[in-house]
Amino acid sequence: MCGIVAYVGHRNACPIIIKGLKRLEYRGYDSAGVALLNGDLNIYKKKGKVSELEKVLEHLQVNSTIGIGHTRWATHGEPNDVNAHPHYSSNKELAIIHNGIIENYASLKTELQARGHQFLSETDSEVFIHLIEDVQSNNDCSLEEAVRLALSMVVGAYAIVVISKHDKDMLIAARKGSPLVIGIGKGEFFLASDATPIIEYTSEVVYLNDHEIATIKKGELSITNIHATKQTPYIQKLDLELDQIEKGGFPHFMLKEIFEQPKSITDCLRGRVIAANGHLQLGGIRQYANKLVQAERIIIVACGTSWHAGLVAEYLFEDFARIPVEVEYASEFRYRNPIIREGDVVIAISQSGETADTLAAIELAKSKGAIIFGVCNVVGSSIARASHEGAYLHAGPEIGVASTKAFTGQVTVLAMMAIIVGNKKGTITDSVYHSLLFELENIPAKVEQALKNNAIILEIAERFKDAKNFLYLGRGYNFPVALEGALKLKEISYIHAEGYPAAEMKHGPIALIDEEMPVCVIATQDNTYEKIVSNIQEVRARKGRVIAVVTEGDEHIKKMAEYTIEVPATHESLMPIVSVIPLQLLSYHIAVLRGCNVDQPRNLAKSVTVE
């Protein structure tokens, strides 16, 4: 989950790397460091955010045209100066940055110690660079060959960049299971965990594939696989603008991304839905569309917020397509010996397209003959490439660690998929099909309307910012929204919160309710409305503080709830896209009022690329 950046060319590398690390801080911000070659190979690193590293560098005259940098999310070893990357080899002639986990590092470390290697840190990454040094020394080979041989000895996930004291214009990079993109400029190269540090300098990139090794030397890029077979780089154009990765006047990326949702959903729908013509098409699922239509069951694998989107999809596919759906935590799926039959359809959902657990679940399902559909946001990501087919969200970069516009984009794409399948199967009528298309087209405007509640939600946040616990309740399509609302509050405000199906409250959680317990109820008008009204009465009878998200014009619940937030009416299957908006804003405002860093919440990182 760490962020890595490297540069070689004609410019001063240090400011490029520092700026890149700041753009990658959403991937980890426990510590940061750089290695720069200027005669000697010098490493500068510091616990804390990149700004702390800047303080170390500001009084130094650092001028180098080659360097590597890293911002860390701690796995092996606590966050401190010593465990920060980059790491030296024992002779200090090599340095490495690493994103991932080396699973067999302990046995490798024992072997290396027996051969005289001494380690300064607790990290698996330091073992990696000592191993490369050891292989090169024992085999009297080039650094490129030593990296290749060392990679064949490690087990785990990695994106690495290696720099050598003896080659002022050479970087060696490799990946397996962790992302790495190479930007190609005029006589210069940029390497990073994603494209955000690169877009300012070039739009031409190469996404390194698993088991590939890139060598940049004397202004040229060459790529081989782990078996030393030469590969032809596939150069792509970035579909990304610089202003998409800046705050644009908002105090936080999270708030910007919440307010971007009318646009991000519009972009998601663009060219796919033309309601007046009865047109709905996802170009990415045409070849295998019949597999979806004929599926006897669908398995959805995802983690975190994406898992909540998967729960909404369970309702969508079962409702519209009449296909049984199982929603699995990707992190558990591969370890419980799941029953997967040839021809089963697996839908993998991930904002980044790099989630390690979801990738592992895909590989297991593919090995059993399943058809994989990927739903992700990042073009060229590992899940996109590992899937047979799929659909992008087109939501634009999501920098805030707590996912917002990715969730609404995911639900939008999954709704389109379910409607397509239902229409092809004839399990929804033509009138329902056409009404759903018109509702989809109107969703961005309804999200825009929901965002106008911002001032009311800020008032509610001020009232409940000091609460110790929150309960979120929903039924039907709004149950996953309750889970998502609770997760958002936990992630960024550090208030304990739980989401439940409203009827399940009576089976335990009702014991928690008293006059200090805020209970957020998603109570929009659908076929469970009368039931959830009864659940609100049960909360009130125990003096719970009710915050209700209701359909515009609902006077009935307004008389019962302490606070109500109105959202526009829409088809109940699409309501999660609208009803989640107030919960995103509520969590944001509570976190800000509590003084929390909403873009970089403690202990979290945006892209979970380790298991």
Side-chain angles (χ1 to χ4, degrees), residues 14-41:
C14 190
I16 293 171
I17 293 169
I18 292 296
K19 184 183 287 187
L21 292 179
K22 286 182 174 179
R23 289 183 178 159
L24 291 178
E25 271 195 306
Y26 70 89
R27 300 181 66 89
Y29 30 86
D30 293 332
S31 59
V34 295
L36 300 163
L37 180 59
N38 189 3
D40 285 328
L41 180 59

Side-chain angles (χ1 to χ4, degrees), residues 2-22:
C2 308
I4 63 178
V5 183
Y7 173 81
V8 59
H10 49 80
R11 312 185 202 215
N12 187 3
C14 190
I16 293 171
I17 293 169
I18 292 296
K19 184 183 287 187
L21 292 179
K22 286 182 174 179

Side-chain angles (χ1 to χ4, degrees), residues 173-326:
R175 71 153 282 180
K176 178 194 170 191
S178 295
L180 193 61
V181 58
I182 302 170
I184 303 172
K186 294 181 179 178
E188 58 185 353
F189 294 87
F190 309 81
L191 296 89
S193 296
D194 66 35
T196 55
I198 293 173
I199 185 60
E200 179 171 349
Y201 308 103
T202 180
S203 61
E204 293 191 340
V205 298
V206 172
Y207 291 96
L208 213 58
N209 293 311
D210 274 356
H211 306 292
E212 287 187 338
I213 304 167
T215 301
I216 298 165
K217 192 171 186 178
K218 296 181 180 177
E220 294 185 358
L221 169 67
S222 65
I223 298 176
T224 62
N225 64 20
I226 202 164
H227 305 296
T229 305
K230 192 171 180 61
Q231 308 293 297
T232 302
Y234 173 50
I235 300 174
Q236 300 184 46
K237 287 279 186 182
L238 282 175
D239 183 21
L240 180 66
E241 300 294 333
L242 188 58
D243 62 357
Q244 291 179 286
I245 59 172
E246 295 177 340
K247 289 180 184 174
F250 286 89
H252 300 97
F253 280 110
M254 183 180 178
L255 189 62
K256 178 195 178 197
E257 287 154 10
I258 290 171
F259 275 87
E260 280 179 343
Q261 286 173 110
K263 180 182 184 302
S264 62
I265 296 167
T266 298
D267 290 343
C268 182
L269 296 169
R270 182 173 287 114
R272 293 167 163 175
V273 179
I274 306 172
N277 298 340
H279 172 87
L280 173 58
Q281 188 173 50
L282 287 170
I285 67 167
R286 282 181 293 191
Q287 185 178 345
Y288 286 87
N290 286 337
K291 299 289 186 182
L292 261 176
V293 173
Q294 295 163 8
E296 294 185 5
R297 68 168 178 163
I298 294 171
I299 303 167
I300 295 175
V301 292
C303 301
T305 286
S306 298
W307 187 79
H308 296 156
L311 288 178
V312 178
E314 179 180 17
Y315 288 82
L316 289 163
F317 277 99
E318 292 191 346
D319 199 357
F320 297 153
R322 308 308 298 154
I323 301 171
V325 177
E326 299 170 18

Side-chain angles (χ1 to χ4, degrees), residues 406-573:
F407 175 78
T408 53
Q410 287 165 348
V411 174
T412 301
V413 165
L414 292 161
M416 288 190 281
M417 289 175 71
I419 294 166
I420 288 169
V421 176
N423 184 50
K424 286 182 180 291
K425 288 187 71 173
T427 47
I428 55 174
T429 65
D430 286 345
S431 62
V432 170
Y433 173 74
H434 287 284
S435 70
L436 286 167
L437 297 197
F438 278 105
E439 280 301 312
L440 275 170
E441 280 194 336
N442 286 318
I443 283 292
K446 293 181 178 183
V447 169
E448 186 83 59
Q449 184 67 24
L451 288 165
K452 292 179 180 177
N453 290 306
N454 191 41
I456 296 167
I457 295 166
L458 176 57
E459 179 186 338
I460 298 169
E462 288 170 339
R463 172 64 189 82
F464 292 107
K465 66 181 175 63
D466 296 319
K468 303 297 184 188
N469 300 281
F470 257 80
L471 195 60
Y472 287 74
L473 303 176
R475 298 187 79 135
Y477 280 98
N478 280 322
F479 161 52
V481 177
L483 293 176
E484 176 62 10
L487 176 62
K488 283 293 149 293
L489 192 70
K490 282 184 280 197
E491 282 181 306
I492 62 171
S493 74
Y494 319 137
I495 295 173
H496 175 253
E498 296 294 338
Y500 278 92
E504 287 297 304
M505 176 184 61
K506 296 189 290 292
H507 297 275
I510 198 167
L512 298 171
I513 295 175
D514 59 19
E515 63 275 7
E516 298 299 320
M517 172 69 84
V519 182
C520 194
V521 186
I522 304 97
T524 54
Q525 289 177 339
D526 56 24
N527 62 7
T528 66
Y529 179 76
E530 295 302 328
K531 298 293 185 184
I532 207 156
V533 167
S534 298
N535 298 140
I536 291 173
Q537 295 281 22
E538 291 160 358
V539 173
R540 286 188 67 210
R542 285 140 182 100
K543 298 184 170 26
R545 315 292 296 278
V546 177
I547 305 161
V549 177
V550 301
T551 305
E552 218 166 36
D554 187 329
E555 296 297 325
H556 185 42
I557 291 179
K558 190 176 287 187
K559 294 172 184 175
M560 293 185 282
E562 187 171 347
Y563 293 94
T564 56
I565 306 166
E566 295 187 0
V567 296
T570 188
H571 193 281
E572 66 178 305
S573 63

